[in-house]
């Protein structure tokens, strides 16, 4: 088994909070959709206004068109993603191990999300020892700068019973 603790089974654009099981996911999507038809900027999100999301939240910064840095993981997100804050993944990164292959896949997914900024729902399996859940649901929501370029991706992840 590889070092990463999850596998994504499917992902697709989402525009309705009723289609989400996780409370944190629904709350983040509701906030993100409140900017429709626009897309929120990173400065629009204040964790103080969303303190209940803190354990499930994660933040990725777009460093270039091909590189992305894990900036923040709440406690729940950290237990799933491991402590990878500060790590940079690249679309052209090495692919010698399963973990490296997953990082390249994820970087390409983030690149796609940066080019077509929509909120995405992910469903997958967790590989955690001694946990009562085996599935997860997460969302990835792009954040833009004043020129409309994606600078960050904010998301939440919820383990499903």
């Amino acid at each position: 088994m590889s070092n990463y603790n999850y596998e994504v089974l499917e992902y697709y654009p989402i525009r309705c909070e009723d289609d989400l099981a996780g409370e944190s996911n629904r709350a983040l999507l509701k906030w993100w959709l409140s900017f429709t038809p626009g897309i929120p900027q990173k400065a629009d999100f204040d964790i103080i206004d969303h303190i209940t999301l803190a354990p499930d939240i994660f933040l990725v910064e777009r460093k270039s068109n091909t590189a992305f840095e894990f900036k923040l993981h709440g406690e729940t997100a950290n237990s799933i993603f491991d402590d990878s804050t500060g790590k940079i993944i690249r679309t052209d990164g090495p692919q010698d191990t399963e973990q490296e292959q997953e990082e390249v896949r994820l970087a390409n997914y983030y690149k796609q999300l940066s080019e077509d900024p929509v909120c995405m729902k992910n469903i997958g399996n967790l590989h955690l020892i001694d946990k009562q859940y085996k599935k997860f649901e997460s969302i990835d929501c792009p954040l833009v700068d004043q020129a409309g370029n994606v600078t960050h991706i904010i998301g939440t992840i919820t383990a499903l019973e």
Side-chain angles (χ1 to χ4, degrees):
M1 188 165 157
S2 69
N3 291 332
Y4 64 94
N5 296 325
Y6 65 94
E7 67 178 326
V8 176
L9 299 177
E10 62 180 310
Y11 59 92
Y12 48 88
I14 187 160
R15 298 209 41 87
C16 179
E17 59 198 86
D18 293 338
D19 294 335
L20 294 166
E23 187 177 323
S24 294
N25 298 339
R26 285 192 308 270
L28 182 61
L29 181 63
K30 181 178 181 179
W31 171 82
W32 193 83
L33 290 173
S34 73
F35 289 84
T36 302
I39 297 174
Q41 296 181 23
K42 182 178 178 283
D44 292 324
F45 186 87
D46 186 342
I47 192 65
I48 300 301
D49 297 332
H50 305 277
I51 201 70
T52 59
L53 302 181
D56 298 339
I57 206 156
F58 57 90
L59 182 68
V60 176
E61 181 179 0
R62 180 177 173 216
K63 303 302 270 183
S64 72
N65 286 337
T66 60
F68 301 86
E69 181 179 357
F70 300 114
K71 297 298 280 187
L72 173 76
H73 287 155
E75 187 177 325
T76 302
N78 197 57
S79 71
I80 293 168
F81 297 134
D82 292 327
D83 186 14
S84 57
T85 54
K87 182 176 182 101
I88 296 176
I89 59 172
R90 301 176 187 284
T91 59
D92 60 351
Q95 297 190 55
D96 297 327
T97 66
E98 283 184 57
Q99 183 171 350
E100 290 172 340
Q101 291 169 8
E102 172 59 16
E103 289 169 358
V104 169
R105 183 207 65 79
L106 187 57
N108 278 299
Y109 165 78
Y110 287 151
K111 180 180 182 208
Q112 175 190 350
L113 194 57
S114 297
E115 293 167 355
D116 182 18
V118 296
C119 193
M120 298 289 282
K121 175 181 177 178
N122 293 263
I123 300 287
N125 292 321
L126 294 172
H127 301 287
L128 300 175
I129 299 171
D130 298 328
K131 299 291 180 183
Q132 62 187 5
Y133 45 80
K134 296 198 171 40
K135 300 279 185 198
F136 76 85
E137 171 189 83
S138 68
I139 61 169
D140 298 303
C141 301
L143 303 173
V144 296
D145 60 16
Q146 290 181 349
N149 300 308
V150 173
T151 61
H152 293 80
I153 297 165
I154 193 167
T156 48
I157 186 162
T158 303
L160 304 174
E161 301 289 326

